[in-house]
Amino acid sequence: TDSLDPQTYTDVFMMSIGFATHNTLTEINPAGELVGDLAESWEPSADAATWRFHLRKGIEFSNGKTLTAEDVIASINHHRGKDTKSGAKSNVDPIESMKADGSNTVVFKLSSGNADFPYLMVDYHLLIMPVADGKADWKNYIGTGGYVLDSFEPGVRAFLKRNPNYWKNGRAHFDEVELISIADFNARQSALVSKKVDVISRCDLKTVNLLAKRPGVRVEETTGFLHYTVPMITTIAPFDNNDVRLALKYAVDREQLLQRVLHGHGSIGNDHPIAPSVPFHADLEQREYDPDKAKFHLKKAGFDKLTVDLSTADKVYSGAVDAAVLMKASAAKANIDINVKREPNDGYWSNVWMKKPWSICYWGGRPTCDWMFSQAYAEGANWNDTSWSHERFNTLLLQGRGELDQAKRAEIYREMQQIVRDEGGVVVWAFANYVFAMSDKVKHGPEVASNWDLDGTRYIERWWFG
């Protein structure tokens, strides 16, 4: 189901292709700082409702076309409109209008102030493409990035060749890159050990210590915003009852999951998506495994016992099936029978996630509260995978976005995290480290970005052989 249309990207395979061949307006650098990518600078109005982005001059697409403000406008418009299916819809919904001020300046007018707006332009969906007949040309897959797509087999492999005219100094060092999708964890690690591949993402945490001992292999990990979730579609019974949702949250043994699924490579979650490293993270009382409280809420919902299906697949992450089985065991002590449904790897994100009432999931997370909440928890967001709507939460979301007083923003985001924890439709059981491995000949700088997997998924551009 993979498509080159950046509206559709959901995983590291397509993100890797996108970031290798295209650029965004801004990026998170290896030190975790927001810096310019195609934009060299930006400034807001006093109320943060108007933003001016100044583009770097003289940048060319791989077909020789010079980048202009019109390309940026068409690329952002590709994700706007009520009928769009883009995962970045919530990022661009606040944009009321865009206009070019000359060839190298784009003026964004927002419906209300947003102090975090430049962060939203980091999104891997918001790749800048050339304009053709007034629209972004994604089908020819022409970008300003360090590589050019040579061939593409959806869900299987892609071949990239270096763009000899890439505009960034000290980036894009490989002559050619082959990306291969290997869903099986053992096969992926065997490919690295046998030197058939040079880099792998998402190591099998059960055996990663053994992998690290293999000669010529280096294992690394970063702590960022990645979190493991179990979303319930709150418009479907019995998940439309908050007491059922609370019962399931208390029925999850988080510490056991952390140790047995992640093997300690992370920290316990608290049923909201804001990682400890995100500004305005709230230190709320930690929800603990408590079968008696689970039974209490089950009784309030009118159940003595409850049977529910939980969909999972090996592809989701290393240990995704194990996580479901462990949840089944811990929930049994609360009179909850979880029927673990092992779904096909192929098409999981298009056929199971956001389709089946309860499923195993993960989120790469986002660097700001507003971005995370807007994309996955706001009413009507395309990736609101619980179909959850909460009037107070949505009101606070708008208030927090435009509030420039940092103390007031902290109060707003604290309440929002508490609402999600206590009334939302998701179990967030852990914040996980990204664990990846590479050949010793693969080198990178002293720091590796942790906003997404593999150096913010910009490893193809940033890494080299040495």
Side-chain angles (χ1 to χ4, degrees), residues 315-334:
K315 179 182 180 179
V316 183
Y317 54 78
S318 175
V321 174
D322 294 338
V325 172
L326 288 169
M327 287 177 61
K328 175 181 176 69
S330 65
K333 297 178 181 179

Side-chain angles (χ1 to χ4, degrees), residues 135-271:
K135 295 184 177 181
D137 177 12
W138 64 266
K139 293 182 179 179
N140 288 312
Y141 217 66
I142 298 166
T144 57
Y147 293 84
V148 178
L149 184 64
D150 185 63
S151 64
F152 171 65
E153 190 175 351
V156 180
R157 67 180 63 221
F159 288 93
L160 308 168
K161 293 185 177 180
R162 189 181 187 281
N163 178 0
N165 298 318
Y166 191 39
W167 57 277
K168 282 188 186 178
N169 292 323
R171 295 282 183 96
H173 303 283
F174 303 113
D175 293 321
E176 295 178 334
V177 175
E178 179 183 9
L179 284 166
I180 308 170
S181 176
I182 307 175
D184 182 83
F185 298 101
N186 291 328
R188 194 154 65 235
Q189 293 187 174
S190 295
L192 178 64
V193 171
S194 62
K195 301 183 179 180
K196 293 180 180 177
V197 301
D198 301 296
V199 176
I200 63 169
S201 67
R202 300 180 189 172
C203 300
D204 184 350
L205 300 181
K206 289 181 288 189
T207 60
V208 70
N209 289 337
L210 296 175
L211 179 65
K213 295 177 181 178
R214 300 300 293 256
V217 171
R218 191 169 75 255
V219 174
E220 299 185 11
E221 60 184 287
T222 56
T223 302
F225 319 131
L226 172 66
H227 52 283
Y228 286 173
T229 70
V230 200
M232 320 166 209
I233 298 181
T234 58
T235 56
I236 299 176
F239 307 113
D240 55 348
N241 187 311
N242 191 46
D243 279 298
V244 169
R245 302 198 294 265
L246 284 169
L248 291 168
K249 292 174 183 179
Y250 280 113
V252 173
D253 190 338
R254 299 155 204 273
E255 182 62 37
Q256 183 187 56
L257 287 168
L258 178 66
Q259 297 306 324
R260 295 183 61 180
V261 176
L262 295 183
H263 298 268
H265 295 277
S267 60
I268 291 175
N270 201 18
D271 298 332

Side-chain angles (χ1 to χ4, degrees), residues 247-248 250-252 289-296 298 303-306 328-337:
L248 291 168
Y250 280 113
V252 173
Y289 174 52
D290 192 330
D292 290 334
K293 282 188 177 180
K295 290 177 184 177
F296 168 78
L298 209 59
F303 295 96
D304 291 321
K305 295 183 178 180
L306 179 68
K328 175 181 176 69
S330 65
K333 297 178 181 179
N335 296 333
I336 299 172
D337 179 19

Side-chain angles (χ1 to χ4, degrees), residues 11 34 95 130 135 148 301 358:
D11 63 15
L34 181 73
I95 300 173
K135 295 184 177 181
V148 178
W358 200 26

Side-chain angles (χ1 to χ4, degrees), residues 23-51:
N23 297 99
T24 46
L25 285 178
T26 56
E27 68 173 308
I28 303 293
N29 71 9
E33 304 161 331
L34 181 73
V35 297
D37 196 5
L38 290 178
E40 64 179 359
S41 63
W42 50 88
E43 66 267 351
S45 59
D47 60 358
T50 301
W51 287 84

